[in-house]
Amino acid sequence: MATDTHPLSLPPDLIRLGAAPAGKEAAIREAAQLLIAAGCIDPAYADSMIRRESVANTFLGHGVAIPHGMVDDRNLVRRNGIAILQVPDGVVWNDGQTARLVVAIAAQSDAHIAILRRLTRLMQDEARLNALFTTTDPADLAAALSDETAAPATPASEAGDLAESFEWVVDYPTGLHARPAATWVETARAASGRVRVRHGDEAVDGKTLVALLQLGLRPGDRITVSADGPDARAVLNRLRATITGLSAREKADAAAAARKAKAVVQGWTPPAAAGREMPVVAGIGASPGLAIGPVHVMPKADLTVPDRPAPLLEGGNRLHEALNLTRQQLKALADDTARRLGPAEAGIFAAQAELLNDTDLITLACQLMVEGHGPGWSWNEAVERSAAKLAANPNPVLAGRAADLRDVGRRVLTRIDPDLRGGSIRDLPDTPCILVADDLSPSDTAALDMGRVIGLATAQGGPTSHTAILARTLGLPAMVAGGGALTELANGTTAILDGQSGRLYLDPPDTALAAALGWIEEQRVKKAHQEERRGLPARTRDGHTVEIGANVNRPDQVPVALSQGAEGVGLMRTEFLFLERGDAPSEEEQYQTYRAMLEALDGRPLIVRALDIGGDKQVPHLQLPHEENPFLGVRGARLLLRHPELLEPQVRALYRAAKGAKPGALLIMFPMITTLREIEALRAVCDRIRTELDAPAVPLGIMVEVPAAAIQADVLARHVDFFSIGTNDLTQYALAVDRQHPELAAEADSLHPSVLRLIRMTVEGAEKHGRWVGVCGGIAGDPFGAALLAGLGVRELSMTPRDIPGVKDRLRDSDLAGLQALAQRALDCESSDEVRALEGDVS
């Protein structure tokens, strides 16, 4: 048995071969029993090992798991010990992770570091590790975890194909980039066995995003996708469907990008004489448009990460917590981006989140930690090594993904060590400026304050980078690849940025400024003509009006929404105030945000949804209990009523904001209502706080997201002022389909007749008591979906700002009778496919 003096001693009684546990918990308890029998731990330490699984992932990678107890329970460790459970057929550790060696660790200190170092080296020796999974001699395992010299690892390039395989020729117009690769990985991770992707002599793990991107696959490349394990053939069938199913979307996206490139306005040309007078920094045009203003240079982020060694378990805890917090942050950012800019742009951050699941990246960070380095330094080093490989790729699209990896890596790093946060893009001058930076991350670009940044110029980057894509979507003039001369510019230098030609003109003379201002005015007039129709109400040909709102989360997003034709905010998701930070916002902070939203809307309606936490939106810093099935657990109104410390400050902040607002401008709605009792309890809290503050009455509504609420709408309508239907959740609950499930998500169609019938029931129930019904779910922003909703009797629609012009046009080109007839035909359909087949019908 292992002792403090000889921590690497591993006798046969601490090794069990050929185990077949029923699941992860059984495997942990079986391994823990070996430690208990050997006198290494108290029996209670086994429960501590189980608890750790709910707060951290102990799967190290490549079939190896290292369960261990909570830090606070080290007193239950009698002496250092390590037990090995060999599971030849594997045991599912987490989704997409199968453990074949379970190395249970009991340690009062870091005496087991040598074992972990050996494990991380073994994971690079695939042949030897596979042999250990099935060996019948415990001495093999003991020797592998001794101080013997490691056998050389087998290069990935020498790996052949696995048992089952298929070939495919890459037909994505831009090759395999991050967003489709993330979908490949998501599908591959459902396999119990291995998945390998080979191009020529180079083969990589198909469950690892970074490795896939490093293949640098271009259009026309022939690859072999192979798998092993009992479900290999089924896995490959799903993978083939995933891979080929993305082809049409990739081609459509490329075609749309080409059309946009042809449709862009002609770039500005400076007057001949003035052009000779102006110094110019030339780069590559990334987003068309012209901006005039002072330059503001962001200090170059020369980050030095100090190496602060920490006890291994402490370092591992910090890394796991940082990864989890960053995943939540990226989920919030992706959700926000999807609502503001669209699903394609949101996919940028979904792909970044997938980088955090890269087992090779995490394994390398762990290996560096067990070699004695600090968690922050180890993580940063692992990210830089992987990013350097991506940056060296000859395909510029894939090389650009190095910026994404560094972006997400920096997010994790600042969670590990908050002292490394450095400067912020929010540290900007009060007057509008052209922001100049060495490079800018996609998340920084998405969060730019458009009232203070009128143009963007970077020394690095390319026109296909995610930063450039976001700049184009935001309508922000931008150039990239301007070189080091950009960052040497003096702050305050007046400049003209031409995002079409990729040029930054410095110290322009009056003639050039006048010409540029004239060009901008011409474009403004053209845009005003285009937006004039957006500003018209969504009134059908026979005079029926549908109110159109925008889904907006922050005050700075309101101007963009209004410019697209929004008549107010139909949904403000207040959970973003909680998700994008490490602590809960105070009542005062919330009040200031709601007041700023009302001021930005200038009397237009603002519908605020109370905190909606649970399901796919978890907030780690609230430390809520773990739930096995959060979508059916304590979420929405259920959570608010159980946590008055979350509910009451928010309600107080809202009523305080209502005191200074125009009458009727503020409306409050509560999420995930199922019963009348919930409404009565919430209304009682609101009435009490309103009385305490002497605040005006505010319309109170509820979200209809649960079929029970739709079915009982006639009862609930007596107790609320309005309904807002969340079609995404209503669809999920009505069809029993997790909308995030990689195989079933496509079946979660909000145009399914059963969902449409629930919407109709809600409208009919509301009409009995003179209440109105809105929709703030996904189909509200689809012109065909909006037409159906209007025909069903929905009076208000709220959507992503960019979807507003198309929805308004569809409704204005319709008449109410035709919309009602269309809706009835949809209700009579038997499937969502039949409903969608009605789309071409004129209403």
Side-chain angles (χ1 to χ4, degrees):
M1 185 186 63
T3 66
D4 290 340
T5 307
H6 301 289
L8 301 184
S9 174
L10 193 61
D13 62 341
L14 282 170
I15 299 174
R16 179 167 295 170
L17 303 180
K24 177 167 75 169
E25 181 172 342
I28 293 172
R29 293 196 181 279
E30 190 171 342
Q33 190 58 46
L34 296 176
L35 293 170
I36 293 169
C40 295
I41 59 173
D42 287 342
Y45 194 70
D47 294 326
S48 180
M49 296 169 78
I50 297 297
R51 285 197 301 275
R52 172 165 287 281
E53 297 300 316
S54 67
V55 299
N57 183 5
T58 61
F59 187 79
L60 195 57
H62 297 271
V64 179
I66 52 168
H68 46 281
M70 304 289 285
V71 175
D72 294 342
D73 294 327
R74 285 186 177 181
N75 61 302
L76 299 175
V77 177
R78 296 176 180 173
R79 51 182 170 178
N80 294 336
I82 293 173
I84 298 179
L85 192 71
Q86 180 207 59
V87 188
D89 293 332
V91 59
V92 174
W93 211 254
N94 295 303
D95 289 343
Q97 298 173 341
T98 300
R100 291 179 169 81
L101 283 184
V102 179
V103 182
I105 299 171
Q108 295 170 326
S109 63
D110 288 336
H112 58 288
I113 284 181
I115 285 285
L116 290 181
R117 182 183 294 118
R118 187 72 184 95
L119 277 173
T120 54
R121 289 177 181 167
L122 268 175
M123 287 191 297
Q124 299 178 63
D125 187 347
E126 186 175 337
R128 189 175 187 191
L129 190 59
N130 286 337
L132 294 178
F133 293 158
T134 56
T135 183
T136 57
D137 186 352
D140 291 341
L141 284 163
L145 295 177
S146 71
D147 284 329
E148 296 175 5
T149 303
T154 302
S157 60
E158 296 179 12
D161 299 330
L162 302 174
E164 300 278 354
S165 66
F166 69 85
E167 289 190 347
W168 181 68
V169 176
V170 179
D171 62 359
Y172 301 168
T174 57
L176 181 64
H177 55 96
R179 279 168 284 170
T183 307
W184 289 25
V185 168
E186 188 175 26
T187 304
R189 286 206 171 124
S192 60
R194 295 173 296 171
V195 175
R196 184 172 291 161
V197 178
R198 179 176 58 81
H199 174 230
D201 294 332
E202 189 174 3
V204 299
D205 182 355
K207 299 180 181 182
T208 303
L209 180 60
V210 172
L212 272 177
L213 293 177
Q214 287 173 348
L215 280 177
L217 297 178
R218 296 170 175 267
D221 285 348
R222 182 177 295 277
I223 64 171
T224 301
V225 183
S226 60
D228 61 12
D231 59 346
R233 179 44 51 190
V235 166
L236 287 182
N237 288 338
R238 289 196 297 270
L239 261 173
R240 186 195 295 269
T242 295
I243 291 170
T244 58
L246 291 171
S247 295
R249 190 182 74 185
E250 288 296 306
K251 292 173 182 176
D253 287 349
R259 286 194 299 272
K260 287 181 182 178
K262 290 181 180 178
V264 295
V265 294
Q266 185 66 35
W268 174 71
T269 302
R276 288 192 294 270
E277 297 175 27
M278 291 184 291
V280 61
V281 179
I284 299 173
S287 178
L290 209 62
I292 305 172
V295 163
H296 177 76
V297 182
M298 273 184 62
K300 191 170 182 179
D302 289 327
L303 182 67
T304 300
V305 181
D307 193 356
R308 301 189 182 107
L312 185 61
L313 292 182
E314 177 191 327
N317 288 342
R318 285 164 60 189
L319 177 57
H320 279 301
E321 182 182 12
L323 289 167
N324 289 334
L325 288 171
T326 304
R327 288 187 185 98
Q328 294 297 328
Q329 200 176 44
L330 288 169
K331 175 67 177 68
L333 185 56
D335 199 10
D336 184 27
T337 304
R339 269 59 181 191
R340 290 193 298 120
L341 306 179
E345 288 74 12
I348 291 169
F349 301 107
Q352 282 195 351
E354 185 57 52
L355 292 169
L356 297 182
N357 298 324
D358 191 301
T359 54
D360 287 344
L361 186 66
I362 296 172
T363 297
L364 176 56
C366 289
Q367 183 176 6
L368 292 167
M369 278 193 288
V370 300
E371 289 177 356
H373 297 288
W377 188 93
S378 298
W379 171 255
N380 188 65
E381 180 69 12
V383 167
E384 285 302 316
R385 290 185 191 180
S386 296
K389 290 181 182 178
L390 285 173
N393 196 295
N395 184 335
V397 174
L398 300 179
R401 298 299 81 86
D404 292 88
L405 181 55
R406 289 189 171 104
D407 182 18
V408 74
R410 183 66 61 86
R411 284 181 173 271
V412 175
L413 185 62
T414 56
R415 290 289 186 176
I416 296 173
D417 187 349
D419 291 340
L420 298 174
R421 290 187 188 277
S424 168
I425 57 166
R426 293 172 178 81
D427 300 333
L428 296 172
D430 293 331
T431 54
C433 67
I434 296 172
L435 181 61
V436 171
D438 185 61
D439 203 355
L440 208 61
S441 69
S443 54
D444 280 345
T445 306
L448 285 175
D449 182 346
M450 298 292 286
R452 297 164 73 187
V453 177
I454 56 175
L456 176 64
T458 64
Q460 300 183 40
T464 60
S465 71
H466 285 160
T467 297
I469 291 170
L470 288 168
R472 289 193 289 273
T473 304
L474 289 166
L476 184 70
M479 65 171 276
V480 295
L486 271 179
T487 56
E488 300 299 322
L489 296 176
N491 277 339
T493 302
T494 302
I496 300 173
L497 171 64
D498 183 357
Q500 175 70 13
S501 64
R503 282 171 167 75
L504 186 70
Y505 299 95
L506 305 173
D507 294 318
D510 290 344
T511 52
L513 286 172
L517 287 169
W519 188 90
I520 290 175
E521 177 61 17
E522 289 177 11
Q523 301 306 311
R524 188 197 65 76
V525 171
K526 289 180 182 178
K527 187 176 182 181
H529 286 312
Q530 294 170 352
E531 291 180 352
E532 183 179 350
R533 187 166 166 84
R534 300 175 186 174
L536 297 174
R539 184 176 294 119
T540 62
R541 292 188 296 247
D542 51 354
H544 176 74
T545 300
V546 178
E547 295 178 19
I548 302 297
N551 298 343
V552 168
N553 302 320
R554 301 196 313 263
D556 64 292
Q557 297 168 357
V558 170
V560 174
L562 297 180
S563 74
Q564 294 297 310
E567 297 156 5
V569 170
L571 172 63
M572 177 189 179
R573 299 177 183 82
T574 59
E575 56 270 19
F576 286 97
L577 299 176
F578 293 72
L579 285 166
E580 295 182 332
R581 53 187 291 155
D583 56 357
S586 67
E587 175 189 323
E588 180 64 23
E589 288 175 294
Q590 293 189 64
Y591 162 68
Q592 293 294 345
T593 300
Y594 305 142
R595 189 181 71 169
M597 286 287 285
L598 287 164
E599 289 176 352
L601 285 164
D602 192 24
R604 299 176 183 87
L606 167 64
I607 303 178
V608 176
R609 183 175 70 189
L611 181 62
D612 186 14
I613 295 298
D616 59 339
K617 295 188 288 291
Q618 300 294 326
V619 181
H621 62 75
L622 295 181
Q623 298 181 335
L624 301 174
H626 172 74
E627 295 189 85
E628 290 300 324
N629 194 338
F631 280 106
L632 298 181
V634 180
R635 62 171 299 200
R638 298 170 183 172
L639 184 140
L640 291 173
L641 289 171
R642 285 167 172 80
H643 291 273
E645 75 279 6
L646 296 176
L647 171 62
E648 297 198 10
Q650 182 167 44
V651 173
R652 289 183 64 85
L654 286 164
Y655 274 108
R656 286 174 60 193
K659 293 180 71 172
K662 294 181 181 179
L666 177 65
L667 300 87
I668 302 172
M669 63 181 177
F670 292 98
M672 288 299 297
I673 295 293
T674 308
T675 67
L676 177 59
R677 183 167 50 224
E678 292 167 342
I679 295 174
E680 292 173 336
L682 289 165
R683 186 174 279 280
V685 172
C686 291
D687 289 344
R688 171 172 56 81
I689 291 175
R690 181 174 66 83
T691 301
E692 292 173 0
L693 295 174
D694 191 25
V698 171
L700 299 179
I702 64 169
M703 295 286 294
V704 176
E705 300 160 286
V706 180
I711 294 168
Q712 208 177 12
D714 58 333
V715 174
L716 303 183
R718 288 199 302 267
H719 303 271
V720 299
D721 298 304
F722 66 94
F723 291 134
S724 185
I725 301 174
T727 54
N728 295 340
D729 266 322
L730 184 61
T731 301
Q732 174 171 253
Y733 290 123
L735 302 181
V737 172
D738 181 351
R739 65 178 188 262
Q740 296 180 327
H741 194 287
E743 292 184 46
L744 300 177
E747 298 179 26
D749 193 336
S750 295
L751 295 186
H752 193 284
S754 61
V755 179
L756 298 179
R757 292 185 183 194
L758 288 170
I759 294 171
R760 181 59 186 163
M761 291 178 70
T762 304
V763 171
E764 290 173 343
E767 287 175 345
K768 289 182 179 180
H769 301 281
R771 310 305 189 202
W772 60 269
V773 177
V775 168
C776 57
I779 59 172
D782 171 30
F784 175 62
L788 286 176
L789 293 171
L792 289 169
V794 172
R795 287 175 44 191
E796 184 257 3
L797 301 172
S798 190
M799 64 207 70
T800 302
R802 66 185 294 175
D803 293 332
I804 291 173
V807 166
K808 280 190 163 184
D809 279 347
R810 176 62 188 260
L811 294 176
R812 279 194 294 260
D813 291 340
S814 307
D815 60 76
L816 182 59
L819 294 175
Q820 291 172 334
L822 178 67
Q824 186 57 54
R825 291 178 64 190
L827 292 172
D828 294 336
C829 289
E830 297 181 356
S831 68
S832 54
D833 289 339
E834 285 188 29
V835 173
R836 291 192 177 278
L838 302 174
E839 186 165 356
D841 289 9
V842 177
S843 55

